[in-house]
Amino acid sequence: MSEFISSSEKETKEIAENLGKNLKAGDVVLIYGALGSGKTIFVKGLARGLGIDENLVSSPTFTIMNIYSGENLLFHLDLYRIEHEEELNALGIEDFLDMGILAVEWGEKAEDAPWANNSIKVFIDQTPDDKRKIRIEP
Ligand SMILES: Nc1ncnc2c1ncn2[C@@H]1O[C@H](COP(=O)(O)OP(=O)(O)O)[C@@H](O)[C@H]1O
Ligand SMILES: [Mg+2]
């Protein structure tokens, strides 16, 4: 477990970049945090750490999943609008997960999925002074 305090978007990206450098295909990162806490910013940092242009990363709120490629493939899920487990199952994640790294915004909605076993969890909390407390497990 590691814990960080981030005072800026830039710092959050750096924390995520360091995590990204240690990820490999098949890894799943579940990201928890309220709207505006910095989940998408965190994914931008992950992309950077994976050798992917962070400018490709945008919130896939209307598409459910985006796929970015560079030195690695990054699958980016945003489950904000997912209401039923079947919608998640329909994506067939296990069929392609081996090919890249999966980052999931609103990770709590994926916890029951078989492919979320052994995932890395990132909790982002906004502090009263508008910083972010970032906890990474394990
Ligand atoms: N320390 C910080 N880390 C991440 N984002 C921050 C931080 N401080 C302010 N922000 C701002 O918070 C917003 C986070 O947006 P976003 O990543 O889209 O949130 P989410 O995906 O969780 O809804 C951005 O506008 C970003 O500039
Ligand atoms: Mg987002």
Side-chain angles (χ1 to χ4, degrees):
M1 200 266 271
S2 30
E3 205 170 277
F4 307 86
I5 296 290
S6 162
S7 306
S8 66
E9 187 178 309
K10 180 170 173 286
E11 280 180 32
T12 295
K13 282 184 193 169
E14 285 166 0
I15 292 161
E17 182 178 3
N18 284 329
L19 174 62
K21 283 178 182 161
N22 293 308
L23 298 177
K24 55 179 192 319
D27 284 343
V28 176
V29 182
L30 301 182
I31 309 172
Y32 301 73
L35 206 63
S37 61
K39 298 181 295 300
T40 302
I41 295 293
F42 195 91
V43 177
K44 282 177 177 280
L46 282 180
R48 212 195 264 169
L50 291 165
I52 296 165
D53 181 357
E54 67 170 70
N55 295 311
L56 294 172
V57 177
S58 64
S59 200
T61 297
F62 298 100
T63 52
I64 299 186
M65 183 168 77
N66 288 345
I67 305 176
Y68 318 114
S69 78
E71 288 170 35
N72 290 279
L73 270 189
L74 174 61
F75 306 111
H76 181 192
L77 272 182
D78 187 319
L79 301 182
Y80 184 61
R81 285 187 161 70
I82 286 256
E83 283 169 11
H84 307 286
E85 207 174 313
E86 301 84 68
E87 296 173 69
L88 193 52
N89 294 340
L91 294 169
I93 303 279
E94 46 284 294
D95 298 340
F96 54 80
L97 182 58
D98 282 358
M99 294 166 60
I101 290 92
L102 172 65
V104 185
E105 295 190 41
W106 303 98
E108 54 268 52
K109 295 193 179 187
E111 272 171 351
D112 293 336
W115 45 262
N117 265 345
N118 301 315
S119 51
I120 294 160
K121 294 183 177 179
V122 176
F123 301 91
I124 310 178
D125 288 303
Q126 216 158 338
T127 66
D129 53 352
D130 203 36
K131 294 182 178 177
R132 304 293 190 275
K133 194 179 81 183
I134 300 175
R135 195 172 85 241
I136 302 177
E137 294 180 2

